[in-house]
Amino acid sequence: MYRVNLCRIGDIATQNYVRIKRGLSKAFSQREIFSVFSIMMIALFLRILILDRRPFQSDESIYVYSAYAITKGVVPYREIFLAHPPLMYLVDSLFIQIVGTNIIFLRLCNTIVYLLTIFLTYIMVKLLLEKHQRGGILALLSAAIYAFYPSYFFILSTTSLLENLLTLFTLSSVIAYIQFHRIGNRLWLFFVGFFMSLALLSVFRAILFVISIILFVVLRNLWHRRYKSLSLIHI
């Protein structure tokens, strides 16, 4: 019986993989994927040039030292004070285990996380403008503006893992919510909540994002007079 169930699960997984692959090939052209990865590589190159231009930032040094202490067996919240939820420190601890305590390599790890948010920005805009004639171009433009906008965030993207993780998880949650509306599969609602929880495990102010999503759902249902559907599940 278990063998039959495993075969059935394998068939379902294969069917879903083929379906997802076909959907992605229709939604995203190879030219667009090449373009967004080019944007990411240029953004990476520009940030590599400034990785060693600034000393340890105040918050950066505290977060990295706290993560380093955790790798040495210090119990967080009991033997060392942490100003934020644990996920960011755990990710930083993982980076320290992989690349050591070299500030350049740690900032490079932060930058790689930031590059993922560039790709997610492209995905989010692409899905939102799916029916727009210039949706692909606008999605690439959005990713490029986000990647190259000349502000302090250009430096912050290399030094602040906290902000990068918050952006990564909030974008992932928004994309999952968009996918729920596109496909109608309630499994995507699980991913909405999953990425919301990861954002909250990174920094407490992610609660503002959670409240925003809830308010959007409530106002959307009120606008369409769906008074009995004021929940994420019964939209």
Side-chain angles (χ1 to χ4, degrees):
M1 184 178 74
Y2 292 109
R3 185 175 181 180
V4 173
N5 289 337
L6 288 175
C7 291
R8 186 178 179 184
I9 292 173
D11 291 339
I12 294 173
T14 302
Q15 292 173 5
N16 288 333
Y17 170 77
V18 172
R19 190 181 307 161
I20 292 172
K21 186 177 180 181
R22 289 176 180 174
L24 289 176
S25 62
K26 291 180 180 179
F28 306 102
S29 67
Q30 292 183 353
R31 181 178 297 179
E32 288 182 13
I33 295 297
F34 175 79
S35 298
V36 72
F37 272 100
S38 298
I39 292 172
M40 293 168 64
M41 291 302 101
I42 296 173
L44 174 62
F45 173 74
L46 294 176
R47 283 162 175 79
I48 287 176
L49 296 178
I50 64 170
L51 288 180
D52 61 345
R53 295 297 179 90
R54 297 177 69 89
F56 248 163
Q57 306 298 295
S58 57
D59 288 349
E60 180 189 19
S61 61
I62 294 172
Y63 299 156
V64 171
Y65 179 76
S66 299
Y68 173 75
I70 292 174
T71 64
K72 296 302 180 181
V74 173
V75 180
Y77 302 107
R78 190 178 73 180
E79 299 177 348
I80 185 172
F81 172 76
L82 300 182
H84 299 288
L87 185 57
M88 182 263 296
Y89 300 98
L90 295 178
V91 173
D92 237 341
S93 298
L94 177 63
F95 290 160
I96 291 174
Q97 294 282 5
I98 295 174
V99 303
T101 56
N102 187 294
I103 184 175
I104 304 301
F105 291 146
L106 289 175
R107 287 180 173 177
L108 182 60
C109 291
N110 291 344
T111 304
I112 292 173
V113 176
Y114 169 74
L115 294 180
L116 295 176
T117 66
I118 296 176
F119 185 72
L120 291 181
T121 300
Y122 162 75
I123 295 293
M124 180 185 68
V125 178
K126 176 70 175 179
L127 293 176
L128 284 172
L129 302 178
E130 181 182 17
K131 298 180 180 179
H132 196 283
Q133 185 178 4
R134 301 290 184 179
I137 296 176
L138 293 175
L140 290 172
L141 180 61
S142 300
I145 293 174
Y146 174 68
F148 306 126
Y149 188 75
S151 67
Y152 180 69
F153 185 71
F154 193 91
I155 297 174
L156 197 66
S157 62
T158 65
T159 61
S160 179
L161 178 64
L162 182 66
E163 305 300 333
N164 290 337
L165 286 179
L166 177 61
T167 306
L168 178 72
F169 295 137
T170 51
L171 284 174
S172 298
S173 186
V174 170
I175 290 171
Y177 190 67
I178 295 170
Q179 279 293 90
F180 166 70
H181 280 286
R182 290 179 68 247
I183 300 174
N185 189 340
R186 293 184 179 180
L187 178 63
W188 286 105
L189 290 178
F190 165 79
F191 290 109
V192 173
F194 176 73
F195 289 119
M196 279 184 180
S197 65
L198 291 180
L200 285 170
L201 284 172
S202 301
V203 58
F204 288 122
R205 67 172 178 272
I207 190 65
L208 298 175
F209 166 71
V210 177
I211 293 173
S212 299
I213 290 290
I214 294 174
L215 284 176
F216 172 78
V217 173
V218 171
L219 293 175
R220 185 175 184 272
N221 282 285
L222 289 176
W223 180 264
H224 293 285
R225 298 182 180 181
R226 299 173 182 170
Y227 303 115
K228 296 182 180 181
S229 304
L230 295 178
S231 70
L232 276 171
I233 299 178
H234 299 95
I235 296 178

